[in-house]
Amino acid sequence: MAVVAAMATTTFAQDDLVKEAKKLCSKGELEQAVTTITPALTSDQTEDKAEAWNVMSEIQYQIFMKGQEAEKANKENNTTTPYDTAAMHKAMVASLEAALKCDEYDRQPNEKGKVKIRFREANGRKFYMSRPFVISAGLYEYNNKNLEEAVKDWKLYIDSAEDPLFTGIDMSKDQYRSEVCYYIGLSAYNLKDYATATKYAEMAAQDSAKAKEAGEILLFAKRDGAKTKEDSLEYLAVVKDLHAKFPSETRYFNMLMDYYSKPGRQAEMKQWTEEEIAKDPNNKMTWALKGEAEMNTGKWDEAVASYKKAAEIDPTFVQVIFNAGVCLNQKAIELKDKLADKKTGGLTPENATKVKAILAEAKGYLEKSREIDPNREKVDWAYPLYQIYYNLGDNAKAAEMEKLVGNK
C-alpha cells in the first residue's frame, strides 16, 4: 500500500508540473516554465504525455513570439534594442519538435484501445502557417557557421511536411521546398555527410528550376562518397544523366572522360566514345578518346583512323597528329619483327618496302607535329622522329634528332 501510495504521489507530482508550467506560461515566466515542465516530458509517471508536450510546444512558441515582437518593435521604431535572436530561432524549432512529439503521443490508443486526437487540429493549423520560420532558424545557424544545426533545422522543416500532424492539410504546394532541400544538400556535402547530401539533392532536383544546381551537389556527393563498385556506377549514372540534360556543359563530358580514362576501362571508353560519336560526330575530343582507347589496346589502324578524324575536325590538334605518327611507328616495328628472318633478323627487299611505307607515313605525321609545335611544348616528337629517320636510313636527320633527344 505504501508503494502504491508513493507511485500515486509521484504521478500526481509529474502531472502537477504540467499544470504549474501552464500557469507560468500564462504569466509570461517562460524560462521557468520550460524548467518546470521538462522532467514531466520523459517521466514514466506522467499520465498525459500528449498534453505535456503540447504545453511545452506552447511555451516555446511564446518564447519565439517574444523575440518576434522585439524584432518588430525595432523595425517600427528604428531602434536597436537587444533581444536574444538565437533563443528566438531555437524556440521556433523546439516548438515544432514538441508539437510533433505531442501528436505522436496523441494518436496512441488509450487504456480502452481507443484513439482520441485532441491537439492535432489546432497545432496543424498553427504550424502550417508558422513552419517557414524554421527555415529562418536554419538560415541563422548557417550564417553563423553552424552547419550541423542548420541541416538539422532544415531537415525538420522538410521532413515535418510528411508528419501525421498535418493530416488533412495540403502540404504539396510549398514554394520553399526545393530551395531548402538544395541548401540541406550543399551543407551536408560540406560536412562530408554524403548520404544526406544525396537524399536532399535528389529532392531538390525534382524542381526543374533547381535541377542543375542540385545535380552538382548530387554529382560530387556520389563521387566523393563512393566506396564500392556499385557506388562508382551510381556516380557514373549521375554524370551521364547531367551530360544528357546539359550537353553543352563541357565539365560533364570531361568528368566522363576522366572516369573512362582510368586504367582497365579501355573497352568501356571505346563503347562510350562510339555512343558519343553517334550523337555528335563533330566532337574532336570524342574521336581523340576513341583513338586513345584503340591505341592502348594495340589496334593501330583503328587508332590512326580515329586520330585522323579528330585532325580533320581540328587540323591544329597536334596531340592526335603526334599519336597517329606514334601508332604508325609502332605498327612498323611490329611488322618488322613479324616479317624478319628468324635466323638472321633481316628482311627481304619486298618486306623492307612494306615496313618503310608505314614508316614514311608515320614520318609525315611526326613532321607535321614538329611544324605545329616546334618547341615541343605539347608533344615531344624528337625521339620518335629519330627512330624513323634512323630506320629509313636518313642519317643526317637522325643525327639532328639525336641532338634534341633528352635536351628540351
Side-chain angles (χ1 to χ4, degrees):
M1 289 176 64
V3 171
V4 171
M7 289 177 60
T9 301
T10 305
T11 301
F12 174 77
Q14 294 298 327
D15 288 328
D16 209 38
L17 292 177
V18 178
K19 294 176 183 177
E20 179 63 21
K22 288 172 74 173
K23 290 178 183 178
L24 290 167
C25 181
S26 65
K27 291 191 291 183
E29 298 177 21
L30 302 175
E31 288 73 17
Q32 184 60 39
V34 171
T35 303
T36 300
I37 199 170
T38 297
L41 299 174
T42 55
S43 173
D44 292 336
Q45 305 304 321
T46 304
E47 289 188 348
D48 196 342
K49 288 278 184 66
E51 184 183 16
W53 280 104
N54 188 61
V55 171
M56 179 60 152
S57 179
E58 180 58 27
I59 296 168
Q60 294 288 356
Y61 195 79
Q62 291 303 319
I63 294 173
F64 165 74
M65 289 303 299
K66 184 179 177 181
Q68 283 282 289
E69 289 165 6
E71 185 178 86
K72 183 181 177 183
N74 277 340
K75 288 179 180 178
E76 290 178 348
N77 302 321
N78 196 27
T79 55
T80 56
T81 304
Y83 64 96
D84 196 335
T85 311
M88 177 184 74
H89 290 304
K90 289 184 183 300
M92 183 67 243
V93 171
S95 183
L96 176 54
E97 288 176 332
L100 296 173
K101 201 70 177 174
C102 166
D103 196 76
E104 179 185 327
Y105 282 107
D106 209 17
R107 61 180 181 262
Q108 291 179 5
N110 59 23
E111 64 277 1
K112 296 180 180 180
K114 294 183 179 181
V115 175
K116 185 178 180 181
I117 296 176
R118 297 163 290 161
F119 305 106
R120 177 178 293 174
E121 185 177 355
N123 282 339
R125 284 199 309 269
K126 178 166 70 175
F127 287 102
Y128 174 71
M129 298 301 296
S130 60
R131 198 168 128 266
F133 285 110
V134 176
I135 303 175
S136 301
L139 186 60
Y140 174 82
E141 300 292 355
Y142 182 84
N143 289 336
N144 283 280
K145 309 280 191 266
N146 300 321
L147 290 188
E148 289 183 359
E149 287 298 308
V151 168
K152 182 179 76 67
D153 293 349
W154 288 331
K155 282 174 66 178
L156 173 65
Y157 174 82
I158 294 298
D159 297 347
S160 63
E162 305 294 326
D163 195 88
L165 174 64
F166 298 106
T167 300
I169 299 175
D170 183 5
M171 304 294 284
S172 63
K173 296 169 184 170
D174 186 346
Q175 61 180 315
Y176 308 114
R177 183 178 184 274
S178 60
E179 190 77 13
V180 175
C181 285
Y182 168 77
Y183 275 101
I184 295 174
L186 178 63
S187 300
Y189 174 77
N190 289 327
L191 290 167
K192 295 183 169 48
D193 181 356
Y194 301 122
T196 297
T198 297
K199 176 182 175 180
Y200 289 91
E202 286 176 342
M203 292 167 69
Q206 293 169 7
D207 179 354
S208 59
K210 297 298 294 183
K212 189 172 182 179
E213 291 176 275
E216 294 283 303
I217 297 170
L218 185 60
L219 174 63
F220 290 109
K222 290 284 187 183
R223 184 194 68 183
D224 297 348
K227 295 180 180 178
T228 65
K229 182 180 179 181
E230 289 71 24
D231 293 338
S232 295
L233 291 175
E234 285 184 17
Y235 161 71
L236 177 62
V238 172
V239 186
K240 278 190 165 184
D241 181 60
L242 288 168
H243 178 51
K245 288 178 179 175
F246 309 103
S248 62
E249 183 64 70
T250 57
R251 283 193 311 127
Y252 303 134
F253 179 88
N254 292 338
M255 287 177 174
L256 287 169
M257 178 176 68
D258 180 65
Y259 177 86
Y260 287 116
S261 296
K262 295 289 189 295
R265 292 175 178 166
Q266 290 91 346
E268 294 174 77
M269 167 76 88
K270 191 170 185 298
Q271 181 181 343
W272 173 64
T273 53
E274 287 171 352
E275 292 170 358
E276 289 293 306
I277 287 168
K279 290 186 286 187
D280 180 11
N282 294 315
N283 187 329
K284 67 178 183 179
M285 285 305 303
T286 312
W287 283 109
L289 290 169
K290 182 173 182 288
E292 183 181 327
E294 292 158 342
M295 183 180 182
N296 289 336
T297 53
K299 296 177 181 177
W300 310 122
D301 290 335
E302 292 180 30
V304 170
S306 296
Y307 287 138
K308 284 173 71 174
K309 289 291 293 186
E312 286 172 11
I313 297 167
D314 180 1
T316 67
F317 197 171
V318 68
Q319 291 91 337
V320 296
I321 296 168
F322 172 78
N323 282 349
V326 171
C327 287
L328 288 166
N329 186 37
Q330 192 61 37
K331 178 184 175 183
I333 292 170
E334 289 185 5
L335 182 62
K336 179 183 178 182
D337 291 342
K338 180 180 177 182
L339 298 177
D341 184 275
K342 304 301 180 188
K343 293 182 180 179
T344 65
L347 293 171
T348 65
E350 181 182 356
N351 287 338
T353 300
K354 292 179 181 178
V355 172
K356 286 183 177 182
I358 299 171
L359 288 172
E361 188 179 1
K363 182 183 76 167
Y365 283 104
L366 291 168
E367 287 180 338
K368 183 67 175 176
S369 301
R370 181 183 185 183
E371 178 186 326
I372 297 171
D373 184 24
N375 295 321
R376 294 183 286 166
E377 293 173 351
K378 295 180 179 178
V379 293
D380 193 354
W381 38 259
Y383 183 71
L385 265 179
Y386 164 75
Q387 282 186 308
I388 290 171
Y389 289 142
Y390 179 83
N391 288 321
L392 288 174
D394 192 335
N395 295 329
K397 288 187 176 180
E400 180 190 353
M401 289 302 105
E402 191 172 14
K403 292 177 183 178
L404 294 175
V405 172
N407 297 310
K408 191 172 179 181

